[in-house]
Amino acid sequence: MSAPSASGIAASIAPQAFEIRPFSGAVGAEIMGLDLALPVNDQDFARIHRAHLQHHVVVFRDQRITPQQQIDFSRRFGILQIHVLKQFLLTGHPEILIVSNIIENGQSIGLGDAGKFWHSDLSYKELPSLGSMLHAQELPAEGGDTLFADMHKAWDGLPQALRTAVEGRSAAHSYTARYSESKFEGNWRPTLTPEQLAQVNEVVHPVVRTHPENGRKALFVSEGFTTRIVGLPEDESRQLLAELYAHSVQEQNIYRHQWQPHDLVFWDNRSLIHLAAGCPSHLRRKLYRTTIQGNAPF
């Protein structure tokens, strides 16, 4: 007797009863009643995928999952990317970057200031991130919010003069653009080794990208990683980027996520930029991040 096919196994997985509730603001939805510790069949996965494309950020509530379960679910969306700061990868699970302000034995256990400037994850790579999943492990009693800005709406509402100025242009992105700048109290970043620097060479992407799945255009620049508009004098580039940044993060385009215990937040880096609002350095915060590789922007 032959073994069942993968599709046959997936088809035999029982569906889960869950609800997708859009948020009232600019973007985002929460998913209630889904347990990612259990197998997710193809039909349920397709529903989650559609919600992610439609709402750009989805919040899976009360996910009591292991690191391996987070990795396995993330991998269903594509290849996982390994962060350059290998000293902050979870032991035994290099697909997970520890995002944390916790100091143990005089050493940071994770990247404490991830997201201190608006950015799209890994836009400094030839193949930037499709999306990121962040799973809450320890949350502070105050602060620690994450803000998301819709870059489709930023493009749709861009004044004509700015549209004309950026259409057809490209911008350079660099991981080290603002790497050493301090913004929040108590943050620290390790000095990059020559090997690490070699992994984060400057790349060039379109200022306006087309989402490969929904076909919509979005601005693809951010204060965190974009260094210049290619082909413009430095002062013009700086001024144009400043106007694009200010336009992108208007309040009506932003969702502010206030973390709840065991939240798993999955956002689309092709549609959004995000920002960590920070928290008092004496309050412990720890989250696990997986990052899914996307396509070259076009």
Side-chain angles (χ1 to χ4, degrees):
M1 182 177 177
S2 61
S5 66
S7 60
I9 293 171
S12 67
I13 296 171
Q16 294 193 50
F18 63 95
E19 185 180 356
I20 299 170
R21 301 175 184 170
F23 295 131
S24 59
V27 294
E30 62 181 353
I31 296 180
M32 309 291 291
L34 183 74
D35 185 356
L36 293 176
L38 300 175
V40 176
N41 70 20
D42 290 345
Q43 184 176 357
D44 287 349
F45 180 79
R47 189 177 165 205
I48 294 165
H49 185 202
R50 287 194 300 271
H52 185 249
L53 291 176
Q54 179 180 353
H55 302 292
H56 313 316
V57 55
V58 290
V59 180
F60 302 89
R61 299 292 191 189
D62 196 28
Q63 296 302 316
R64 300 168 189 269
I65 58 175
T66 66
Q68 189 60 52
Q69 287 168 332
Q70 179 178 348
I71 291 167
D72 291 344
F73 181 62
S74 302
R75 196 169 269 143
R76 290 188 68 172
F77 291 89
I79 296 169
L80 300 190
Q81 295 172 296
I82 308 300
H83 199 275
V84 67
L85 295 179
K86 292 188 169 40
Q87 56 268 59
F88 295 146
L89 303 181
L90 184 63
T91 301
H93 299 285
E95 302 90 346
I96 287 182
L97 173 71
I98 303 171
V99 177
S100 180
N101 65 350
I102 299 170
I103 308 292
E104 292 181 352
N105 301 318
Q107 299 288 324
S108 296
I109 70 165
L111 183 57
D113 60 353
K116 64 182 180 179
F117 296 101
W118 285 101
H119 68 288
S120 172
D121 284 337
L122 277 62
S123 73
Y124 53 84
K125 303 288 281 185
E126 291 285 353
L127 298 176
S129 166
L130 174 159
S132 302
M133 292 192 194
L134 198 58
H135 188 214
Q137 306 296 311
E138 293 186 57
L139 298 174
E142 61 179 280
D145 294 354
T146 306
L147 283 70
F148 298 92
D150 188 334
M151 298 298 271
H152 294 302
K153 290 185 177 179
W155 167 252
D156 293 343
L158 198 65
Q160 186 58 50
L162 285 178
R163 281 186 175 233
T164 301
V166 301
E167 279 187 306
R169 290 203 173 272
S170 297
H173 296 243
S174 171
Y175 180 59
T176 59
R178 309 186 80 155
Y179 183 82
S180 299
E181 294 183 35
S182 60
K183 190 165 183 175
F184 300 136
E185 177 190 354
N187 290 153
W188 169 84
R189 284 193 168 191
T191 301
L192 295 173
T193 66
E195 179 189 10
Q196 288 172 319
L197 285 170
Q199 296 176 46
V200 289
N201 292 324
E202 182 182 85
V203 298
V204 172
H205 295 308
V207 172
V208 182
R209 71 176 298 177
T210 301
H211 195 293
E213 294 189 82
N214 65 28
R216 295 180 63 191
K217 289 187 175 182
L219 285 177
F220 195 59
V221 292
S222 70
E223 62 174 359
F225 297 137
T226 306
T227 56
R228 58 191 169 86
I229 305 287
V230 176
L232 287 184
E234 183 178 349
D235 58 341
E236 288 185 33
S237 170
R238 190 183 309 111
Q239 177 61 33
L240 180 54
L241 285 173
E243 291 182 40
L244 294 175
Y245 299 157
H247 173 79
S248 297
V249 297
Q250 295 179 80
E251 186 175 351
Q252 66 267 26
N253 294 339
I254 290 176
Y255 162 62
R256 186 181 191 106
H257 183 66
Q258 297 177 305
W259 289 85
Q260 298 179 21
H262 308 291
D263 275 352
L264 175 70
V265 178
F266 178 30
W267 66 88
D268 193 329
N269 282 302
R270 304 162 299 183
S271 300
L272 305 173
I273 55 175
H274 61 282
L275 174 76
C279 72
S281 59
H282 68 281
L283 298 178
R284 291 169 64 98
R285 183 176 188 262
K286 182 171 74 170
L287 306 100
Y288 288 166
R289 193 185 90 183
T290 46
T291 311
I292 302 145
Q293 180 174 286
N295 300 318
F298 61 91

